[in-house]
């Protein structure tokens, strides 16, 4: 029997969304006869190791950016982040070369890791940021992205090309990018017919620190006056699952994909960050949602405004959120599944030289 081709799957560790949207890709690779090798760092690596304990995994360099609340025209902190990122990309390229030699890698699927490629090897970059939104530096960041796009065989945008779509101006451009491919929305979750409602409210905590912890503190304070049933999933990937009960509030440190799928399907409303992977998950499940963007995140603020303008879901700023704001959610349509996911066999054909 011919040995299975090994495909390196390398999501960025920035929140958990890059890792979670790689879960259906890893499953599809296995179903189509490939052997995925997982490579990331931090919580993203830990999450995928828990989801796929039978797969080999490796650690890649860390270059998590930081959100800033102020956007100056010349921002020394932002400049330092860019310099640090380029250093991490160089280290990442060295790490990828080592993994290629160690595992005899046949192809790479990188989710927003710009250094996870190698000349002559089929490589995919997954990104919803064809246009990067980061305030006054958006144009520069987008041009840097386009330079790296050319280093990959294909760039997969997890969205549909036409309207309606989920990513808006972030994932769409009038500029011709030959290797750009819209693959449809990616989600590890599936809509199921829930027998009964389990919770009135599901809270998903995620995103970079210290904002994740700050939001958790605010949510827990506000929930003291909540009269419905609620579940809070803290987004802390730890060795074991922990659950606590406090009256009408149930709290988990984390849930695996199966547990999260059942919980969200059986919840009336979801409160979370408008991270792009969260939006794809909730669209897949056709859920009513309320969003709180990460402070200073131009991307999440844009997505929240876009969804509100389309009357799909309301949002509030983190500092001003009150539990009574959730009363607005029933007035909105809720998210809808636009799907459009291509056939995995066709998407993986580049690893077969097709």
């Amino acid at each position: 029997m011919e040995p299975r081709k090994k495909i390196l799957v390398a999501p960025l560790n920035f929140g958990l969304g890059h890792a979670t949207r790689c879960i259906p890709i890893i499953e599809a690779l296995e179903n189509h006869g490939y052997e995925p090798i997982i490579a990331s760092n931090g919580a993203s690596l830990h999450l995928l190791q828990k989801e796929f304990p039978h797969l080999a995994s490796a650690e890649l360099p860390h270059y998590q950016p930081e959100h800033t609340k102020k956007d100056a025209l010349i921002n020394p902190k932002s400049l330092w982040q860019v310099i640090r990122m380029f250093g991490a990309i160089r280290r990442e390229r060295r790490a990828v070369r080592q993994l290629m030699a160690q595992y005899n890698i046949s192809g790479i699927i990188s989710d927003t890791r710009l250094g996870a490629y190698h000349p002559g090897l089929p490589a995919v970059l997954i990104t919803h940021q064809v246009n990067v939104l980061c305030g006054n530096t958006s144009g520069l960041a987008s041009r840097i992205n386009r330079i790296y796009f050319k280093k990959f065989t294909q760039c997969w945008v997890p969205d549909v090309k036409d309207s309606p779509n989920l990513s808006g101006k972030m994932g769409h451009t009038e500029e011709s990018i030959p290797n750009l491919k819209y693959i449809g929305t990616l989600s590890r979750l599936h809509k199921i017919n829930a027998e009964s409602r389990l919770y009135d409210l599901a809270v998903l905590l995620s995103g970079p620190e210290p904002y994740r912890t700050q939001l958790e503190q605010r949510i827990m304070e506000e929930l003291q006056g909540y009269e419905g049933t609620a579940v809070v999933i803290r987004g802390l990937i730890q060795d074991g699952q922990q659950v606590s009960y406090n009256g009408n509030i149930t709290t988990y440190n984390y849930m695996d994909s199966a547990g999260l799928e059942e919980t969200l399907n059986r919840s009336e409303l979801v409160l979370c960050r408008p991270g792009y992977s969260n939006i794809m998950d909730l669209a897949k499940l056709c859920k009513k949602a309320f969003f709180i963007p990460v402070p200073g995140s131009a991307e999440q603020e844009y997505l929240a405004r876009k969804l509100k303008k389309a009357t799909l879901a309301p949002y509030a700023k983190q500092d001003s959120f009150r539990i009574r704001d959730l009363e607005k959610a029933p007035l909105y349509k809720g998210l809808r599944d636009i799907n459009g996911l291509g056939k995995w066999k066709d998407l993986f054909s580049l690893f077969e030289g097709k």
Side-chain angles (χ1 to χ4, degrees):
M1 180 181 295
E2 186 176 337
R4 295 190 297 166
K5 290 186 177 181
K6 296 180 174 64
I7 307 299
L8 188 70
V9 180
L12 184 69
N13 178 43
F14 187 48
L16 295 175
H18 297 281
T20 59
R21 71 188 187 190
C22 281
I23 289 175
I25 294 175
I26 294 171
E27 292 173 341
L29 284 168
E30 289 196 286
N31 291 337
H32 285 77
Y34 297 95
E35 182 180 343
I37 308 295
I38 298 167
S40 188
N41 68 286
S44 290
L45 179 59
H46 198 182
L47 182 148
L48 292 178
Q49 287 171 331
K50 284 183 169 294
E51 292 283 339
F52 303 99
H54 59 288
L55 294 180
S57 60
E59 188 164 354
L60 289 177
H62 167 86
Y63 55 97
Q64 177 171 310
E66 299 176 12
H67 286 298
T68 56
K69 290 189 177 182
K70 299 295 183 181
D71 181 32
L73 184 60
I74 300 175
N75 189 328
K77 185 175 182 180
S78 296
L79 180 60
W80 170 242
Q81 288 184 34
V82 171
I83 294 172
R84 187 173 61 180
M85 182 187 74
F86 281 129
I89 289 173
R90 288 194 294 271
R91 294 193 299 274
E92 187 172 64
R93 290 201 63 195
R94 290 196 294 269
V96 167
R97 286 196 294 270
Q98 293 172 357
L99 291 174
M100 287 173 57
Q102 180 179 355
Y103 291 105
N104 189 26
I105 300 296
S106 297
I108 300 172
I109 298 178
S110 163
D111 192 321
T112 320
R113 283 188 171 269
L114 300 179
Y117 69 91
H118 187 74
L121 195 70
V124 171
L125 177 68
I126 300 174
T127 180
H128 61 275
Q129 294 179 316
V130 178
N131 295 304
V132 181
L133 302 185
C134 53
N136 289 325
T137 57
S138 295
L140 175 61
S142 296
R143 286 194 291 274
I144 292 173
N145 253 16
R146 307 288 173 83
I147 291 172
Y148 279 98
F149 285 1
K150 298 175 183 178
K151 300 180 184 298
F152 290 82
T153 312
Q154 291 181 1
C155 294
W156 291 355
V157 180
D159 200 354
V160 294
K161 184 176 182 178
D162 301 317
S163 184
N165 56 66
L166 295 179
S167 62
K169 66 181 181 181
M170 281 200 313
H172 298 79
T173 178
E174 294 181 359
E175 180 182 338
S176 176
I177 303 177
N179 63 342
L180 205 65
K181 191 180 189 71
Y182 291 89
I183 66 168
T185 53
L186 286 173
S187 175
R188 58 175 168 160
L189 307 179
H190 303 85
K191 183 173 176 57
I192 58 177
N193 293 322
E195 295 181 359
S196 60
R197 187 170 72 193
L198 191 59
Y199 301 104
D200 297 305
L201 175 67
V203 179
L204 303 181
L205 296 170
S206 61
E209 295 289 4
Y211 300 116
R212 190 214 64 82
T213 296
Q214 292 171 359
L215 180 61
E216 178 179 350
Q217 292 170 347
R218 187 165 196 86
I219 293 295
M220 298 309 290
E221 290 174 1
E222 288 293 318
L223 283 177
Q224 298 305 309
Y226 186 66
E227 297 181 356
T229 55
V231 58
V232 178
I233 303 165
R234 302 178 65 209
L236 300 178
I237 309 301
Q238 298 170 326
D239 289 338
Q241 187 183 67
Q242 302 167 12
V243 58
S244 62
Y245 304 94
N246 182 12
N248 59 332
I249 312 299
T250 304
T251 303
Y252 290 84
N253 55 342
Y254 77 92
M255 282 187 180
D256 61 16
S257 295
L260 187 64
E261 181 176 89
E262 179 179 8
T263 297
L264 295 186
N265 270 288
R266 298 181 66 185
S267 297
E268 182 71 16
L269 176 67
V270 180
L271 170 62
C272 65
R273 299 290 194 194
Y276 190 64
S277 295
N278 279 346
I279 290 172
M280 288 194 293
D281 285 342
L282 297 180
K284 185 72 173 180
L285 301 182
C286 300
K287 298 304 296 185
K288 294 266 188 176
F290 191 100
F291 293 115
I292 303 178
V294 171
S297 171
E299 173 185 329
Q300 291 198 6
E301 290 171 356
Y302 164 74
L303 289 170
R305 290 194 303 269
K306 177 182 185 297
L307 294 171
K308 181 178 180 179
K309 184 178 180 180
T311 65
L312 298 178
Y315 75 96
K317 292 185 177 181
Q318 182 166 305
D319 291 341
S320 61
F321 171 75
R322 296 291 184 272
I323 200 68
R324 63 177 177 269
D325 293 338
L326 299 181
E327 297 172 6
K328 304 172 186 176
L331 304 177
Y332 288 74
K333 300 173 186 175
L335 280 81
R336 294 293 181 267
D337 185 15
I338 59 175
N339 199 12
L341 187 62
K343 294 182 178 179
W344 290 116
K345 183 178 180 181
D346 295 336
L347 294 173
F348 296 154
S349 65
L350 79 163
F351 301 127
E352 305 299 329
K354 299 177 183 178

